[in-house]
Amino acid sequence: MAKVWQHPFLNVFRHFKVGEWKRSTKEGDVAPVTDKTLKCTVYRVRGSVSAGNYIQLPKTSTQSLGLTGRYLYVLFRPLPAKHFVIHLDVATEDSQVIRVSFSNLFKEFKSTATWLQFPFICEAGLSVKELASVAPSGARWTCLQLDLHDILLVYLNRRYGHLKSVKLCASLLVKSLYTSDLCFDPAVTMAEAQRAKLPVTPVPREMAFPVPKGESWYDHYVHIRFPSDSSKASPEPVRKSCSPPEADFLGRMLQVLPHPVAFSNPFQDTLPSMVQMFGPTASCQAPSVPRPLPEVSLFCERSEVPSTNGPSDRSQERSTGPEITDKHAAGNGVHVSAPKPTMVPVALEDVAVHELSDRKQNGQEMALDKNLFQPRSFLPDPILRLKGVIGFGGHSTKWALWTKDGAAVVYPCHAVIVVLHIDTREQRFFLGHTDKVSALALDGSSLLLASAQARPPSMLRLWDFHTGECLSLFRSPAHVLCSLSFSNSGALLCGVGKDCHGRTMVVAWGTAQVGRGGAAALLAKVHTRVDIQAFEVALFDETRMASCGQGSVQLWRLRGGQLRSCPVDLGEHRVLELTDLAFGRAQDGHMLYVCGRSGHILEIDHQRMAVRHARRLLPTRSPGGPLSQKQTFSSGPGICISSLSVSQALCAMGSEDGYLRLWPLDFSSVLLEAEHEGPVTSVCISPDGQRVLSTTSSGHLGFLDIPSREYSMLVRSHTAPVLALATEGSRGQLATVSQDHTVRVWDLATLQQLYDLRSPEEAPCTIAFHPMRPALFCGFSSGAVRSFSLEAAEVLVEHRCHRGPVTGLAASPDGSLLFSSCSWGTLAQYHCASTPCRVLRVAANMVCRDAHPTPNALVVSGDSRLLAFVGPSRHVVTVMNAASLEELLQIDVGALDLASSRLDSAVAVCFGPGPPGYLLVSTSSNTVTVLDTTSGRVVRELPGVHPVACPSLALSWDARFLLTATDRAIKVWDYPTKPCPGCQVYIGHSEPVHAVAFTPDQQQLLSVGDAIFLWDILGPLERSPPGSAGDSPGAPPTCETSLDAKQLEDTVSGANGLPRQQVPEPSPASPLQLGICAGPLKGDGGAFSLSDEEGSSDESHSPEGLHQASSLPMLVKEASARSIGRAQVHPSARPDCYRHFLARHKTSPLVRSASVSDASVECLLLKAVVGYNGNGRANVVWKPDTGFFAYTCGCLVVVEDLHSGAQQHWLGHPEEISTLALSHDAQVLASASGCSGTTSRCHIRIWNVPGGSCRHLISYHTTAVQALAFSPDDKLLVTLGDYRDCTLALWSMATHELLSSTRLPAPVHGVAFNPRDAGELACVGQGAVTLWLLQQRGTSLHLQVRREPIPEEVGAGELTSLCFGAAPLLYCGSNTGRVCVWDASAGRCFLAWDADDGEIGVLLCSGARLLSGSNTRRLRLWAVGAVPELRCKGSCARSSSVLMERELTLDGAVVSAVFHDSMDMGVVGTTAGTLWYISWAEGTSTRLISGHRSKVNEVVFSPSASHWATCSDDGSVRVWSLASMELLIQFQVLNQSCLCLAWSPPSCGSPEQQQVVAGYSDGTLRVFSIARIAMQLKMHPHQAALMAVAYSADGQIILSGDKDGLVAVSRPRTGMTFRILSDHRGALISTIQSTNKEYGDFGAQGADLWLAASSDQRISIWAADWPRGHCELVDWLSSPSPTLTEVASHPLPCLVAFCPWDGALLVCAGLGVHPEVAFYNLHQKQVVERIPLPFYAVSLSLSPGAHLVAIGFAEHVLRLVDCESGAVRDFAGHDDVVQLCRFAPSARLLFSVAHSDILVWEVTGHWASGGASSSGPPLG
C-alpha cells in the first residue's frame, strides 16, 4: 500500500510544484500553454531532439520521488507528426533500479536486466511497417495507466518498490502525473458512479477529462491500461476497444502483433507494444486473444506457470499449492518434441500436460493436446542424452556433499545437480531446475536429496536420490533460500533464507511422507533479526538445531509446531564474524564447533550454552615477529576460516589463504594440509572419516585421501560464462574461451583439464585448433592473435594485424590457412601450414564492424575452398575464395524477405557438407536460410527456428541433424525433412547458450554457456566428413600429444598435490600460487614479445628473439591442488577512464621514404588550420599575462593570436599530439605525440616560445604520453606514459637529460607538481594517491614514494584528475563524480562531495575557487574557501560548506581547461572538437575554435569565393567564411552520415538563391538554402548511401551517385527524379563532375558535359541537353585494378576531373596498375601524357588558374605538381591519409583534409599564376 500521505491518490506535478522548477527541472523547449480541449494549463515539451527537451522529476538523479502507488496515470497527448519518449526509473524491493521506457520511436520490445523498452503505437489498424511511427495528426488526449507492480513482475520477475524518477521527453503535451493504489476508470466520474451504482472506482475530479454533454468519453479520449488483465499471462497488451466489431478487432490485432513461436518463454520472447485503441474498457477481455504457450511445455512445474489472471492473482495460493511429481532420468536431458513453429497459438487454459508412460527412459516428456495440433518429431525420441557436464558451482561454490558410502560426491553445476562417482568418474544428473541451484542437502541414509534454486520465488525439489525421480516440488515461504539442512533420518528439512523484505527467515518442513507418495508439510517458520551464515540440524536430536552468523550463535528447537531460539553467551567473542559450524562428539557428549573470519574456533557446550574453549588460527609467522616452529593460538592477525567439518577424531578446516588443514579435536598440531589455487569455500569429511572433500572459489572440487596423503582433483571449471569452443579430432581435445579471461583445453574422454591459458589483462575472445598439428590459435580483445604449441606449452607467434577485439577465428580443414576478423571490420589471412604461421593478407572494411565475438563469425567450407562471413555490413553475407580472397558472392540478407517491415541482418553462418555447396545463415528474424554458394539463391528456409535470433548453429557431416542454440535451450532438427522439419528441444543451461558444435567423430555434441555440456547422439551418424583430412588417404600424419592427462599431472615435480607429512618451517609470505609455467620463461615475466629495436614487424617468434614482456598471457600445464610460480603481469587493457589519450586509428602509416620540400623553395605556405583536436588531453595552453595561446590539431601545434586570429604552425611531430605543457614563465612549451611506424618511441618536443623553434627533441615512452608538467621553478619536466607504458620520467630542462624514471605498478591518470615545492609531485590512479618526494644526492636524483589508499567511506573508486589548492590541500576527482580533498602533508583524505554524475577529467584550483569538468559535458565552479578550515576537523568535516557557484553545459566531454588566476575567464576544450571561451562573470560560453570531430568527406566553395562548406560523417553540413575561417551556419541531420556535397553554380541565380545539396548515407538528398538558413528540399532517389553529387552547369539538374553504382538525375525545382543510369552498377560511384561544352562538340547535342567514375576504375563521359531530356554516352574508360599485393589496406578511389585549362582533357589518377596521373584527350581518345607518382593517389584537385595539380597520398603527404615545367613539391603537415585536396576558385588557396583536420595553404609567387623554373627535390 502507498504511504498515508499518498492515499487515495497523489498529483505529482502539484506535490513537486512543477512550474517553480525547484524540485523538478526542465531542459529545452518546455512551456506552459492553455489547451482548448481540456480548458486548462498544460505543459508543452517539443524539440527535434527528445534527449534535449524534457521535464524531469525530481531535479537530480541522486534524489528520489519515493512514490509507492501501484498505478501511475500519465495524462498526455502526443504532438502530431512527432516522436515522444517517457522514461520511468522504478526501484525494486531489493533496491535495483529498472528503467521502463515508452516511445513511438521504438520499433520493437527490448528487454535487459535493467531496462524495458515498450513501443507505443499511436493508431490501430496500421501495417507492420507503420507500427512504430510518429503520432498521427489526430492524436487525442490519453490516459496512460501503468501497473508498475505487474510490469516488473511479468517482464523481470521482480517486486515493485517505488517510483524513483520520471522523465517526459519531447514531443508531447502533458497535464499531470498521478499515482495511486486504486484502479480508476477514467470514463466514469464520481457522480455517474454514485447515480448508476457502478461497481468501478470512478476517477477523481481533478483527473477527469471534460466530456461534452450527451457524448461518449471514448469519442474524445483514449484510455490505455498496461499491462491489461490478459497480458499478465502474455506480455502482449490487449487494446481496449468496443467500437469496432469483435471480429475486426481480433483480425487487426493478429495482423499487428503476430503470435509468438510455440514453446517460447512468455516473459522473454514475445514482443509487447503499446497500441492506442478507441473504445470503452468493457470489451478488453477477448477470449480468443492469442497468447504464447506457457513455460510448462518445457518444465513440468505447474506451480511455476503464470496464471491466466496474472502472476499476482494466485501468488499466495501457489505457495502451498499442489505438488507435481515429475521424473527425470539420471543421465538424460530434459527435452520436449517441438511442433512446426508456425502453428495456431492457443490460450493457456487449452494446454494439457501429459506424462508419456510408454517411454522406456525415466525422463519427463511434455506435449500439447493432440486435438490442437500434431507435433512433428523424429526418431529416436529423445535423440540426445546428457553424458557429461564440465563445471562446478554457479550460484555458490560452497555446496559439495558425500554420499553415505563415500563412493560419490554430489554438487551443483548451475541448474544441474551432478553425482560424480569417485572411482569411475561417471556422472549422473538431476534435471529440472530452471535457475541456478542455491542450496543442497542430503539425508543421512542418502535416500532423499533436497535442492533449492536461486531466482525468487525460491522453488524446492525433493528427489529420490537413487532413481533420480523428483518426488515433490513446492515453493518456499522464504523468497530466497541460501541454506538447507536435513536431519539424519531425513524426516526434517530446515532452510534459511530471506523473505521479500530482506528479513532472515528459518523454515522447517516435515519430509517423512515424501518418499511414500505424500507431500512435504510446512511445520514451522519464523523470522529472526540475527544474522545466519550457517545452519545445521543436530545429529543426535532432530528437534535441535544451531546457527551462527555475525556476532551470534543461536541454538534452536522445534516443539509444538514452533521454532524457538536461544543465544549462546559468547562473552568477549560476540564481535566475531562467524562463518560455519559443525556438531561433533566429545568425551562427555556432543560439542558444537564454530569458526570465524578472524581465525577463531569456538568449542560450545550446547547443553550449558557456553563457550568451553576458544582458539585462534594464526599465520606461521607474525609480521615483524620471530619465526615459530608450529601454528599457535594467541593474539594477532588470524587466518580467515570459511568452513569446517568434524568427524569422530578429526576437524577439517578450509581457509581463505587457500589451505585445507586437518587437526585433532584437541587442536594440538596440524596433521595434514594441502594448498589450493584459491580460497577454500567448503570442506566435508566423508562418513568413514578417510577422505576430505574441498571446494574453492576458483571453481575447483577435489578431495584429500588421508591414509595415502594424496590429493585428487575431481572438477575444474570456468568461473564465468563460456563464450566459444573448438574441437580437435586426433587427440580428442576441446578448447573453450570464457569471460574469466582463461582459455582451457579439456580431454573429451575424461572431461579433465589439460591446459590453462590465463590472460588477466586482455580477454580471450575466439579459439581454433590447427587441424594437423598440436597447436592452438586464440584471438584477444586487444586485437592480438597468438599461436600456442600444446607440446612445448609456449607461445609460437603473435600477430598484431587488428586494432579491435578479434571477433572471428577459423582454420581451413586442410591446415593451410587461418583467418581472423576484428570489430573494426578487418579480415586477416595467415599461412599456417608450417611453423610459425605468417600473415599473407590484411584487408580493411571487409567484415561487419562493431560485431561481437561469436563462434560462427568466420567459417571455412569442408573442402577449404570457400570462406564466408557477415560483412561488410550486418545485412550482407560474403563468400570468398579462401586462397585468393577473391569475392565470389555477396548476398543481401535484408532483401530476402521483401514482405518484412524490418531490415533483416545475418547473425551466424555455417557451411553444409558438400557437394552441393550450401551455406546456412541465421538471421535476426529468427530464421535459418539455406543459400546456394554458387548462385546465391535461397534453397530453403526454416522460419521461426527460435523465439530470438540464433547465435550459433552446426550441421552434422551427413546433413542428418541441424543443431541450433538460443537463450537457454538447444534444438536438434531433422534437417533432411522438407518443408517442415521436426525438432527436439533440450534444456539444462541456466544462462544463454553461446555456442554449439558436433564433436569430430560426430557421435556427440557440445553446448557451452554457463557450463560445458556433452551430449550423446543416440541416432546413427557418420564419424567424419567425406573427403575430410581424417578420411583422405593422402592426408599427412597427425601429431600425437606426448603426454596424456595423467602424465601431465605427474610430470610436475614437487607439485603433485600430496599433502605435507609435517608442517614445514615457516617461510616469508609469497603471492598466491596459481600454476606452473611450462614455457621457457625468464625471470618473472612469463610472456614474450618483440622489442622495438628488432624492427617494426608485427610478428614475434619463439624461442629465438623473444624478450620478456608482461603484457602477454602464459600457458600453464595443470598440476594438482598445489603448484608453484606465477609470472607478475602488468595491465594492458585500457582503464575505464576517458582521461586516457587514445590515438585515432590511422588507416595508413607515415613512410620513411617520404621527404618534404625545403622551406626556402616552398610554393605553399600553411595559412590556417581549421579545427581543434578534441581527441587530445590537456592540449590547450594560455598565458593571460603575455597573451600566448596554443592548442593542437593533428600533429600540429597551432599558436593563435586571440585578437587578430593570425596563426603560427609548429611542425615536427610525426603523429597525433596527445598533450601540451607550458612553463610557468611562458618561455618553453612541451608537446608530446605517440609512436608510429617510423619511430619506436614517443616524440617530446621542447619549443622556444618567443622564436617558435624546436629547442630539443627527447623520447623515452613507448606507446603514448599521458601528461606533461613543469616544476614550479621550470627546472624539471615530468612525463607520464599511458596505461600501456606505465612509466614516469623526470627530465632536466637545463640539459634535457633523463634524470630518473620508474615503472608504475598500475596505470596512472594524472600527475602534478606541488606549486609551492618543486621537490614534491602527486599522481592519481586506481584506489590511491601517490605522493613523490624528489631528493638530490650529489649528481643523482632519487624518488621517494608514499602511496595513500582511498578510504572506503569516500566511495571514489578510481581517481582520474588532480590539482593542488591552498597549502597543503590536494583536490582529486574520481570516475564516480566525487571530489575528495587530501591533506598532502599528512597523507589523509578529510573531505569528499558529489560534484558530478560522471567522471571528472579536469580539475583546476586558484584561490578560493575550484573548477571541475566531466564527461557529462558539465563545467562547474565551486567555492572552496572554507575547505582549509575543515582540514582541522579531520574525518568530521562536512561537505555542506562547499558551494557550487556556476554551471555550464558544453557540447562534449571536457578534456582541457586553462583559466586566469582569478578563475573569472578561461578556455575549455571538449571532445566535440570545440574550444570555448568561458566568462563566469557573464555566465556565458563563446565558441572560439570549431571543427569536425568525425571524418570530413567533402569541401566545396561558393561561386563568389566568399564562403566554403564541408560535410562530415557526423551528419553535419557546415558553412564557413573564407576570409575569417569562422563557422557561420551548421545544418545537422541526426543518425546519418553526410558523404557528399555540392554548391549550386553561379548560373543558378542571384546570391540570395545560393544552395548546397548534400547526400546522406540513407540515400537521401537534402537541398539547403544559404540565405534562409533552412532545408529547402528533401528527395530520396537512392536506396543505398550517396557517394557523389554535382549540379549541372546551369544548376537546374542534380546528378547523384550511390554505393551500388546507380546515378540518378533529379530536378530540384520539382523534387522529381526522372532518370536512373545503371551503367556502373555493382561498383561505388566515387566522382561526378559537370562542366560546360560547346553545343555539338564531341558530336553530341546539349551544353552539358559530365562524367561519372566508379571504384572499379571505370569512367563514363556523357553529353546532355537537359531541357530536352537528351543524355548520351560520349566515351567509356576502364582499366584493370591494382592487385591486392601492391596496394595498402586503404581502398583506392578512381580519381578523375575535367581539366580547367583544356576542356578536351581528362586528368585521371588510379586508372591503371601503376601509380600515376594520366591526361586523356577526349578528341583523340587516348592518353597524351603520364606523370609517375611515388604512391597511389587518394585525392586529386586541379587549379582553375595555373597549370597545377594537387595530389594527396595515404602516406600523409600532399604533392603539388606544375604540369608545364614538371616541378614537384611535397608538403607535410598531416598525420593521416590526405583524403581530400581542393583548390579554391581564386586558385590562391588550397585546402587539404586528413580525417577531420583541415589545412588551408596559400599558393605563393609564380606558382599561383603558373610556371616554375626548377624541379623540386625527388622523393627519397
Side-chain angles (χ1 to χ4, degrees), residues 1320-1621:
E1320 181 181 355
L1321 59 90
C1323 297
V1324 291
Q1326 186 173 6
V1329 171
T1330 306
L1331 300 174
W1332 305 76
L1333 186 62
L1334 283 59
Q1335 292 184 342
Q1336 189 80 28
R1337 298 178 183 174
T1339 58
S1340 60
L1341 188 68
H1342 296 269
L1343 298 177
Q1344 287 188 352
V1345 186
R1346 185 179 63 184
R1347 191 173 187 270
E1348 302 293 346
I1350 306 173
E1352 293 184 2
E1353 55 270 17
V1354 173
E1358 194 160 344
L1359 298 182
T1360 54
S1361 55
L1362 78 163
C1363 69
F1364 281 91
L1369 301 183
L1370 174 65
Y1371 294 89
C1372 300
S1374 74
N1375 61 346
T1376 60
R1378 291 179 68 83
V1379 171
C1380 52
V1381 190
W1382 296 71
D1383 184 341
S1385 59
R1388 64 182 179 90
C1389 177
F1390 64 89
L1391 181 65
W1393 75 91
D1394 290 321
D1396 213 306
D1397 296 333
E1399 177 187 330
I1400 297 177
V1402 172
L1403 278 181
L1404 291 177
C1405 184
S1406 180
R1409 284 178 159 186
L1410 176 72
L1411 178 91
S1412 66
S1414 72
N1415 60 355
T1416 63
R1417 306 183 302 163
R1418 295 192 188 99
L1419 194 70
R1420 289 177 170 175
L1421 186 66
W1422 304 86
V1424 293
V1427 172
E1429 301 177 3
L1430 298 177
R1431 182 173 65 94
C1432 304
K1433 298 182 179 180
S1435 59
C1436 299
R1438 296 182 178 270
S1439 61
S1440 57
S1441 300
V1442 179
L1443 302 176
M1444 184 174 67
E1445 293 185 3
R1446 292 281 187 143
E1447 178 181 9
L1448 287 174
T1449 301
L1450 304 178
D1451 60 345
V1454 179
V1455 293
S1456 304
V1458 55
F1459 271 74
H1460 190 271
D1461 291 340
S1462 64
M1463 299 293 285
D1464 287 331
M1465 58 181 178
V1467 179
V1468 175
T1470 67
T1471 53
T1474 308
L1475 286 178
W1476 297 88
Y1477 171 74
I1478 305 297
S1479 173
W1480 289 121
E1482 301 175 359
T1484 59
S1485 56
T1486 305
R1487 195 186 303 263
L1488 283 180
I1489 307 294
S1490 180
H1492 288 281
R1493 183 180 181 183
S1494 302
K1495 178 185 174 185
V1496 175
N1497 294 313
E1498 187 57 271
V1499 176
V1500 295
F1501 301 90
S1502 66
S1504 62
S1506 59
H1507 298 85
W1508 57 289
T1510 57
C1511 68
S1512 169
D1513 278 347
D1514 58 12
S1516 67
V1517 174
R1518 306 189 185 197
V1519 182
W1520 313 74
S1521 167
L1522 196 60
S1524 63
M1525 297 298 170
E1526 292 183 357
L1527 178 64
L1528 303 178
I1529 305 172
Q1530 177 172 334
F1531 302 101
Q1532 182 70 53
V1533 176
L1534 299 177
N1535 303 321
Q1536 297 296 332
S1537 296
C1538 188
L1539 303 176
C1540 51
L1541 190 66
W1543 202 301
S1544 59
S1547 58
C1548 193
S1550 62
E1552 291 77 14
Q1553 297 176 347
Q1554 289 296 299
Q1555 305 166 345
V1556 291
V1557 59
Y1560 291 86
S1561 55
D1562 61 350
T1564 58
L1565 278 173
R1566 289 175 171 87
V1567 179
F1568 299 100
S1569 170
I1570 303 300
R1572 293 169 50 203
I1573 314 178
M1575 186 179 73
Q1576 189 166 310
L1577 177 66
K1578 177 183 176 182
M1579 297 181 288
H1580 200 159
H1582 298 271
Q1583 297 301 316
L1586 274 166
M1587 307 305 296
V1589 66
Y1591 275 98
S1592 62
D1594 59 0
Q1596 303 303 311
I1597 299 296
I1598 295 177
L1599 302 166
S1600 56
D1602 65 15
K1603 192 175 182 180
D1604 293 339
L1606 301 182
V1607 177
V1609 185
S1610 308
R1611 297 187 188 274
R1613 285 191 176 182
T1614 63
M1616 299 294 293
T1617 299
F1618 64 90
R1619 189 163 184 173
I1620 298 291
L1621 303 176

Side-chain angles (χ1 to χ4, degrees), residues 1304-1328:
L1304 304 172
V1308 170
H1309 309 321
V1311 62
F1313 271 101
N1314 188 333
R1316 286 162 294 276
D1317 186 357
E1320 181 181 355
L1321 59 90
C1323 297
V1324 291
Q1326 186 173 6

Side-chain angles (χ1 to χ4, degrees), residues 896-1027:
L896 296 180
D897 186 4
L898 299 178
S900 175
S901 62
R902 295 174 54 195
L903 189 61
D904 213 352
S905 59
V907 179
V909 291
C910 169
F911 274 108
Y918 289 156
L919 179 69
L920 284 73
V921 181
S922 167
T923 68
S924 60
S925 60
N926 314 337
T927 66
V928 172
T929 303
V930 183
L931 304 171
D932 189 308
T933 56
T934 303
S935 62
R937 65 181 180 88
V938 178
V939 178
R940 60 184 294 201
E941 270 193 355
L942 281 73
V945 172
H946 286 284
V948 295
C950 171
S952 180
L953 69 164
L955 187 62
S956 61
W957 281 111
D958 61 355
R960 178 73 176 88
F961 301 118
L962 172 64
L963 180 63
T964 61
T966 188
D967 199 34
R968 298 180 295 172
I970 63 174
K971 283 187 179 181
V972 182
W973 297 80
D974 186 14
Y975 184 72
T977 304
K978 298 180 182 179
C980 301
C983 73
Q984 297 177 8
V985 185
Y986 294 84
I987 65 170
H989 289 278
S990 64
E991 296 180 14
V993 179
H994 291 121
V996 292
F998 289 91
T999 57
D1001 61 3
Q1002 302 290 291
Q1003 300 303 303
Q1004 297 169 319
L1005 61 86
L1006 294 150
S1007 60
V1008 298
D1010 49 5
I1012 304 169
F1013 283 29
L1014 178 65
W1015 308 78
D1016 276 335
I1017 301 176
L1018 304 183
L1021 273 174
E1022 293 185 9
R1023 290 185 173 269
S1024 59

Side-chain angles (χ1 to χ4, degrees), residues 51-354:
N53 303 271
Y54 58 82
I55 296 175
Q56 177 177 301
L57 297 94
K59 190 175 184 67
T60 65
S61 60
T62 58
Q63 300 171 330
S64 175
L65 295 176
L67 304 178
T68 58
R70 172 171 179 167
Y71 298 100
L72 173 68
Y73 298 86
V74 185
L75 309 184
F76 78 106
R77 179 170 76 87
L79 291 181
K82 299 292 184 180
H83 295 97
F84 72 90
V85 184
I86 299 176
H87 295 301
L88 311 176
D89 287 342
V90 184
T92 63
E93 287 185 346
D94 54 358
S95 300
Q96 173 72 42
V97 177
I98 308 295
R99 168 152 286 194
V100 182
S101 301
F102 299 88
S103 175
N104 54 356
L105 272 171
F106 302 150
K107 305 292 185 183
E108 59 185 0
F109 168 68
K110 293 183 180 180
S111 170
T112 68
T114 58
W115 199 353
L116 295 174
Q117 293 184 3
F118 296 98
F120 191 102
I121 304 167
C122 295
E123 290 288 354
L126 299 179
S127 65
V128 177
K129 184 175 182 180
E130 297 168 324
L131 277 179
S133 181
V134 297
S137 58
R140 294 184 276 181
W141 277 96
T142 301
C143 175
L144 176 59
Q145 178 183 355
L146 302 175
D147 188 339
L148 302 178
H149 174 276
D150 279 0
I151 289 176
L152 295 190
L153 191 63
V154 170
Y155 295 100
L156 295 176
N157 201 16
R158 289 182 174 271
R159 294 286 182 179
Y160 169 63
H162 63 272
L163 181 63
K164 184 177 184 291
S165 67
V166 178
K167 192 172 185 179
L168 307 170
C169 303
S171 300
L172 50 79
L173 298 174
V174 58
K175 177 183 177 183
S176 186
L177 308 177
Y178 299 87
T179 61
S180 177
D181 277 334
L182 302 177
C183 182
F184 298 121
D185 189 333
V188 180
T189 63
M190 186 76 69
E192 293 172 348
Q194 293 175 352
R195 183 172 55 252
K197 297 182 180 180
L198 298 176
V200 296
T201 305
V203 67
R205 179 178 300 175
E206 65 176 276
M207 289 178 60
F209 288 157
V211 180
K213 189 174 183 180
E215 298 186 19
S216 171
W217 188 92
Y218 290 98
D219 292 338
H220 298 271
Y221 309 108
V222 180
H223 176 212
I224 299 178
R225 179 179 174 184
F226 185 75
S228 61
D229 290 339
S230 60
S231 68
K232 298 173 188 176
S234 167
E236 302 284 358
V238 177
R239 283 76 41 96
K240 304 179 178 181
S241 175
C242 154
S243 303
E246 182 176 348
D248 183 44
F249 162 67
L250 293 178
R252 282 189 292 167
M253 187 172 142
L254 287 170
Q255 174 191 2
V256 176
L257 295 176
H259 62 79
V261 178
F263 296 96
S264 64
N265 187 331
F267 295 149
Q268 297 177 4
D269 300 334
T270 53
L271 302 173
S273 59
M274 299 291 296
V275 184
Q276 289 189 10
M277 296 289 293
F278 310 127
T281 313
S283 64
C284 66
Q285 307 289 342
S288 58
V289 170
R291 306 178 190 139
L293 297 180
E295 203 168 5
V296 68
S297 59
L298 293 182
F299 317 107
C300 186
E301 299 175 4
R302 186 170 297 158
S303 61
E304 289 188 54
V305 177
S307 65
T308 305
N309 295 326
S312 60
D313 295 342
R314 301 183 184 177
S315 59
Q316 300 300 325
E317 299 174 11
R318 292 204 304 249
S319 61
T320 57
E323 300 168 1
I324 303 299
T325 301
D326 60 346
K327 303 175 182 180
H328 299 268
N332 287 343
V334 180
H335 93 287
V336 58
S337 297
K340 175 182 176 181
T342 56
M343 57 189 60
V344 178
V346 294
L348 179 64
E349 49 268 28
D350 297 329
V351 176
V353 179
H354 302 280

